[in-house]
């Protein structure tokens, strides 16, 4: 058997080390809008995935860019589906301007409880939403639903007539329409801008997730919080997503490690989500903010307004709109 000359052996060894090094340096950039390293459960969810993927030792790392340090909140979806961004933790309704079906993931009263949110994850409703995500060029790695509430520096928001004359941030088209129908003025912005808008008088109040209310220290700007309680009108889907281009660039081992990390992150989030509501109520109360809940009667009054406004508009103007609503309502 002919022996390879030493120089060729050395070259082959060098090339092997080079290609192994390249494989080990595969890094996915993960962007989100939430504060980093401050306990926000969405940041913690992504950081958990980064640790799990690294521990899997499959030549893959996740580099996390929190607090809009890589892309602005509402730029992330476009960057993701064009392949300019690898992964994101994103309030999906932020992309409803491109895909109006996503407004179903922030539809007033459609979820109501954390238990129902978990059931929705395995429903026809979510299959339909994920099909739109897939067709656009992305896929879900981990599901996440957050409850939320209302906060105001003018008066507690309970029955529909309490929003009259207030300028509110409502997060998405469905809530915008419902609140406007009840007499509120609407100002649209990502949750990361609520604090400054309230501080400068642009907003009187806002609704957002329990996590964002605490992470963005909204308790410093309001006098009353309407916590989710047992009648949560506000629920938002905020999954961890990966670009299809980025997914296809990974080998099978890396894909499996990422899916396993996503499953662990989803389980972690599900355990933490309900606790976020109580944490929010406690933090606001500790900071001198009045904390109230909606009664079943308040909730039903809002739901009736939503059905005549945002539900109706969604069903009439969005592809498969009525089918999405029906699929969600069919979940026991």
């Amino acid at each position: 058997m002919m022996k390879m000359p030493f120089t060729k052996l050395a070259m082959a060894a060098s090339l092997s080390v080079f290609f192994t090094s390249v494989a080990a340096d595969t890094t996915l950039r993960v962007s989100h809008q939430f504060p980093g390293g401050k306990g926000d459960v969405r940041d913690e969810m992504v950081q958990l995935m980064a640790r799990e993927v690294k521990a899997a030792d499959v030549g893959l790392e996740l580099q996390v860019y929190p607090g809009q340090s890589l892309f602005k909140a509402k730029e992330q979806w476009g960057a993701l589906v064009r392949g300019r961004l690898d992964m994101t933790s994103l309030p999906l309704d932020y992309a409803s301007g491109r895909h109006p079906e996503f407004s179903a993931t922030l539809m007033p009263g459609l979820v109501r409880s954390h238990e129902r949110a978990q059931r929705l994850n395995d429903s026809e409703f979510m299959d339909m939403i994920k099909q739109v995500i897939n067709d656009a060029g992305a896929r879900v790695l981990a599901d996440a639903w957050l409850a939320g509430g209302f906060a105001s520096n003018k008066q507690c928001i309970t029955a529909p007539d309490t929003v009259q004359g207030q300028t509110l941030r409502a997060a998405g088209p469905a809530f915008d329409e419902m609140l406007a129908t009840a007499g509120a003025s609407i100002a649209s912005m990502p949750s990361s801008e609520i604090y400054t808008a309230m501080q400068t008088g642009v907003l009187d109040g806002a609704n957002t997730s329990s996590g964002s209310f605490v992470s963005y220290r909204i308790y410093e700007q309001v006098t009353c919080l309407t916590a989710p309680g047992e009648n949560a009108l506000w629920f938002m889907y905020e999954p961890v997503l990966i670009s299809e281009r980025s997914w296809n660039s990974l080998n099978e081992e890396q894909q499996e490690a990422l899916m396993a990390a996503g499953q662990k992150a989803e389980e972690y989030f599900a355990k933490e989500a309900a606790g976020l509501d109580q944490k929010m109520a406690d933090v606001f109360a500790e900071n001198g903010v009045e904390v109230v809940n909606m009664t079943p009667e308040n909730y039903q009054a809002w739901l009736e307004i939503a059905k005549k406004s945002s539900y109706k508009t969604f069903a009439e103007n969005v592809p498969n709109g009525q089918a999405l609503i029906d699929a969600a309502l069919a979940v026991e």
Side-chain angles (χ1 to χ4, degrees):
M1 181 177 179
M2 184 178 294
K3 293 185 177 180
M4 186 180 293
F6 175 77
T7 53
K8 290 186 177 180
L9 278 171
M11 185 179 294
S14 296
L15 285 171
S16 175
V17 170
F18 172 77
F19 285 118
T20 299
S21 174
V22 169
D25 288 339
T26 301
T27 300
L28 299 181
R29 298 184 305 161
V30 190
S31 169
H32 68 70
Q33 73 196 61
F34 314 108
K38 296 183 179 180
D40 187 288
V41 70
R42 292 154 296 192
D43 177 59
E44 293 293 329
M45 187 183 187
V46 174
Q47 298 291 354
L48 185 155
M49 290 183 68
R51 292 192 297 272
E52 290 292 322
V53 166
K54 187 172 184 178
D57 194 24
V58 292
L60 179 65
E61 292 189 7
L62 306 185
Q63 186 170 357
V64 183
Y65 295 84
Q68 304 187 92
S69 55
L70 187 61
F71 288 96
K72 294 295 184 184
K74 294 199 173 183
E75 294 174 353
Q76 292 175 124
W77 174 262
L80 187 79
V81 296
R82 289 195 296 269
R84 294 173 54 221
L85 172 63
D86 299 307
M87 289 174 56
T88 184
S89 171
L90 179 75
L92 192 65
D93 191 69
Y94 282 15
S96 61
R98 295 170 181 259
H99 305 282
E101 297 95 332
F102 293 164
S103 284
T105 64
L106 184 57
M107 187 67 70
L110 208 59
V111 182
R112 193 169 186 166
S113 71
H114 291 283
E115 293 77 17
R116 183 175 169 79
Q118 291 305 304
R119 294 195 295 275
L120 278 174
N121 285 339
D122 298 316
S123 69
E124 181 188 1
F125 169 78
M126 193 53 69
D127 289 343
M128 295 169 73
I129 292 295
K130 288 182 178 178
Q131 187 61 57
V132 179
I133 293 172
N134 296 157
D135 290 347
R139 66 172 60 206
V140 174
L141 294 174
D143 294 314
W145 288 91
L146 283 91
F150 296 81
S152 171
N153 59 22
K154 289 189 73 173
Q155 68 169 322
C156 295
I157 296 173
T158 51
D161 61 5
T162 59
V163 304
Q164 291 176 8
Q166 295 203 55
T167 300
L168 303 177
R169 179 268 186 185
F175 265 87
D176 286 351
E177 185 173 4
M178 181 191 72
L179 289 170
T181 301
S185 298
I186 304 300
S188 298
M189 63 191 71
S191 56
S192 51
E193 297 176 15
I194 292 173
Y195 187 100
T196 301
M198 295 202 70
Q199 189 177 45
T200 56
V202 173
L203 290 177
D204 298 312
N207 61 8
T208 191
S209 70
S210 299
S212 290
F213 267 131
V214 174
S215 294
Y216 295 126
R217 303 173 67 88
I218 308 301
Y219 49 82
E220 296 180 352
Q221 299 296 328
V222 300
T223 57
C224 187
L225 168 74
T226 309
E230 295 181 358
N231 299 292
L233 194 67
W234 197 102
F235 259 89
M236 190 177 211
Y237 182 57
E238 302 189 18
V240 178
L241 303 165
I242 185 170
S243 163
E244 195 67 21
R245 293 186 192 181
S246 300
W247 174 261
N248 290 333
S249 73
L250 304 177
N251 62 40
E252 187 174 346
E253 277 191 329
Q254 292 169 334
Q255 290 177 348
E256 289 176 356
L258 201 53
M259 289 298 291
Q263 183 61 37
K264 284 196 174 183
E266 184 176 316
E267 291 168 359
Y268 159 80
F269 188 92
K271 290 178 182 177
E272 294 291 316
L276 290 176
D277 300 342
Q278 188 59 52
K279 178 182 177 181
M280 173 181 65
D282 292 344
V283 169
F284 274 64
E286 289 164 5
N287 283 272
V289 178
E290 182 182 359
V291 178
V292 300
N293 295 113
M294 283 191 186
T295 65
E297 292 75 20
N298 293 153
Y299 176 89
Q300 194 59 42
W302 277 112
L303 196 57
E304 291 305 314
I305 292 175
K307 288 178 178 178
K308 294 173 183 176
S309 56
S310 48
Y311 278 47
K312 184 173 183 291
T313 298
F314 186 81
E316 290 175 351
N317 298 325
V318 175
N320 291 325
Q322 188 62 56
L324 280 163
I325 291 173
D326 292 343
L329 293 176
V331 176
E332 294 296 331

